[in-house]
Amino acid sequence: MPLKIKDLISIKDLDRDELRLILDTAESFKEVGARDIKKVPTLRGKTVVNLFFEPSTRTRTSFELAAKRLSADLVNLAVNSSSVAKGETLLDTARNIEAMQADLMVVRHPCAGAPALLAKHMTSGIINAGDGAHEHPTQALLDLFTIRERKKTLEGLTVVIVGDILHSRVARSAIHALKMIGSTVRVVGPPTMIPREIMHWGVEVFYQYEMALKGADVIMILRLQLERQGRSLFPTIREYANLYGLTVRRLAMAKDDVLVMHPGPINRGVEISPEVADGLSSAILSQATNGVAVRMAVLYLLSGVIKNESVDPQRPAH
Ligand code: CP
């Protein structure tokens, strides 16, 4: 069953079956990363271009590895040394890349809506790799993949999302995805970092961390989005760490088998203590591993090759 979409801009673009299809496809691709030769020929002849207008370690690298493991050609546009620096618009830049027969473009941009604008004007598929404070759909997909892998289910879990909800594209995508799949979502953070429209999101809102942690199956910690905060939303970083940092003491208030997640990059000693980040409950590096498999699945399912019934995503490299 192919996806009904050309682009992946928002988790809202997917229905429940499509979300599960991506997770199941990623499960079949994960094994490729454990092989000596980490390559299948599935997307041979396809071209993927990474267009990152904001810094990234995990997302850009994992899309690059995903494309290469599927045998696609991958180009990273170096935005700072491209003609964007001479004033070329985003749309003109993308149109010129499309004219070079790019099949898929992976776009990260500080402005919410930038990937949606490109999707409207391009025939190439556009994948949102994070746009402003709007969405980061592949992060939500890899988070769900990691939870399902560890907990063996997604239904009926209590997931606590902690921190700067207001500026977090990760939180928005995760909440849509978790609600779609049947998890209970709690959010907790300083009142200044909880959006006013939160009452329409179908989540439980807490301001006291300890209360939110009771009975938690998963804790998803957010990075403070200082680059998106126009003004100071709390007195000091130390105060934030005291109230909303996940420490060993706080971790003990959740379930014994609680899973600790963070999309990265982590601020050690601020939103998470080093002991928790590196501890047995942490799935942070598994998230990075799973990001490659999930992005392989997204590239594969959006590439159009699935129309060809003979394509087997598991076929080994020749
Ligand atoms: N999680 C995430 O988006 O990390 P990067 O900013 O390093 O891509």
Side-chain angles (χ1 to χ4, degrees):
M1 180 187 72
L3 293 176
K4 292 188 282 291
I5 50 177
K6 169 181 90 68
D7 314 286
L8 179 58
I9 305 300
S10 163
I11 287 293
K12 290 179 181 168
D13 296 338
L14 303 168
D15 62 27
R16 200 181 154 98
D17 288 341
E18 289 174 317
L19 196 149
R20 286 191 184 284
L21 172 68
I22 295 173
L23 301 188
D24 293 346
T25 307
E27 207 166 283
S28 73
F29 277 131
K30 184 166 176 182
E31 164 276 324
V32 175
R35 296 183 190 175
D36 285 343
I37 298 171
K38 300 173 178 52
K39 223 171 184 54
V40 288
T42 313
L43 294 191
R44 187 183 288 160
K46 296 285 180 186
T47 302
V48 180
V49 179
N50 271 343
L51 277 161
F52 278 62
F53 294 82
E54 275 189 341
S56 170
T57 296
R58 282 145 289 270
T59 312
R60 190 168 66 174
T61 307
S62 60
F63 267 113
E64 181 165 354
L65 287 172
K68 288 179 171 170
R69 285 181 188 173
L70 291 169
S71 303
D73 295 314
L74 183 285
V75 175
N76 278 304
L77 183 78
V79 169
N80 290 339
S81 56
S82 75
S83 290
V84 171
K86 299 179 204 163
E88 188 167 47
T89 66
L90 173 66
L91 199 49
D92 282 333
T93 300
R95 278 189 172 131
N96 278 271
I97 289 168
E98 182 171 69
M100 298 176 209
Q101 284 87 39
D103 296 290
L104 291 163
M105 293 187 215
V106 182
V107 181
R108 170 169 288 190
H109 202 281
C111 297
L117 174 81
L118 296 186
K120 204 170 138 194
H121 290 91
M122 303 282 131
T123 51
S124 311
I126 305 293
I127 300 169
N128 181 4
D131 61 331
H134 174 225
E135 280 221 34
H136 192 349
T138 58
Q139 179 68 46
L141 292 166
L142 77 88
D143 290 343
L144 263 63
F145 183 93
T146 305
I147 296 171
R148 191 175 77 165
E149 183 176 69
R150 295 290 187 98
K151 298 285 180 190
K152 309 299 175 209
T153 183
L154 287 163
E155 283 87 2
L157 298 177
T158 297
V159 180
V160 181
I161 305 181
V162 189
D164 185 1
I165 312 290
L166 182 65
H167 298 97
S168 177
R169 55 197 179 203
V170 171
R172 279 171 182 74
S173 290
I175 289 168
H176 295 323
L178 288 163
K179 296 295 300 172
M180 195 192 301
I181 219 85
S183 303
T184 297
V185 182
R186 298 176 182 168
V187 299
V188 59
T192 49
M193 293 184 191
I194 305 289
R196 266 188 230 154
E197 67 273 18
I198 195 88
M199 73 279 277
H200 304 302
W201 293 9
V203 300
E204 299 170 10
V205 182
F206 293 77
Y207 299 102
Q208 219 219 345
Y209 205 168
E210 288 75 7
M211 296 289 285
L213 288 176
K214 280 184 192 158
D217 296 290
V218 178
I219 308 170
M220 293 177 74
I221 302 161
L222 302 173
R223 181 178 66 84
L224 279 178
Q225 305 276 301
L226 293 172
E227 72 277 21
R228 291 187 222 289
Q229 294 179 9
R231 62 195 165 91
S232 181
L233 296 177
F234 53 92
T236 62
I237 297 267
R238 182 181 292 189
E239 183 164 339
Y240 182 86
N242 281 341
L243 290 171
Y244 296 103
L246 187 60
T247 57
V248 172
R249 182 184 65 79
R250 285 202 172 109
L251 188 64
M253 295 171 190
K255 284 188 179 167
D256 290 345
D257 61 348
V258 68
L259 199 62
V260 174
M261 303 175 73
H262 192 307
I266 62 174
N267 292 306
R268 287 174 182 267
V270 181
E271 68 260 7
I272 188 166
S273 74
E275 295 79 13
V276 177
D278 302 328
L280 291 177
S281 303
S282 174
I284 295 172
L285 293 179
S286 297
Q287 289 173 266
T289 305
N290 292 337
V292 181
V294 166
R295 285 161 180 141
M296 287 172 81
V298 169
L299 292 174
Y300 167 65
L301 291 167
L302 288 181
S303 67
V305 297
I306 204 166
K307 283 182 205 131
N308 177 356
E309 298 283 316
S310 66
V311 169
D312 174 2
Q314 291 267 54
R315 202 151 48 106
H318 298 297

